Amino acid sequence: DAQAAAANAALASSLAPLAFTAFGPGTDKGMPNRSTPEIWSKAAAFKGKADEMVAAMAKLDAAAKTGSLDQIKAAVGPVGGTCKACHDDFRAEKYSN
């Protein structure tokens, strides 16, 4: 359903930048989490990964608006790749604390 894909991609694209606001200064303390310390010690690299994901989501949003299933499929892979790249670098295997 092209209309549903466009609506969902638009929502996901608009929400994408919000996920990274949870990793500001001091958020490495408190609740158990699976974040690596490098999120805070290598903040510029983490921000770069975040920016890549947000850009990929914007491309998925644009692809979804075309209504072309082929364009949507082509844009989904890069979104998943950016998620994986960030998790590979900044997500621990086990919870802290």
Side-chain angles (χ1 to χ4, degrees):
D1 180 342
Q3 196 172 27
N8 286 309
L11 178 61
S13 182
S14 68
L15 294 175
L18 298 178
F20 300 98
T21 63
F23 298 97
T27 58
D28 56 332
K29 310 287 188 268
M31 298 294 293
N33 63 74
R34 290 183 58 190
S35 305
T36 65
E38 287 77 20
I39 285 178
W40 296 276
S41 66
K42 297 181 179 179
F46 181 67
K47 182 179 181 328
K49 298 282 186 185
D51 291 346
E52 289 173 12
M53 191 275 288
V54 170
M57 286 299 305
K59 289 179 183 176
L60 175 59
D61 184 24
K65 288 177 180 164
T66 70
S68 166
L69 184 58
D70 289 335
Q71 288 188 36
I72 294 168
K73 286 180 180 180
V76 167
V79 169
T82 62
C83 294
K84 182 180 182 327
C86 192
H87 284 191
D88 286 349
D89 291 348
F90 297 107
R91 187 174 186 200
E93 287 193 34
K94 296 183 180 183
Y95 279 89
S96 65
N97 300 341

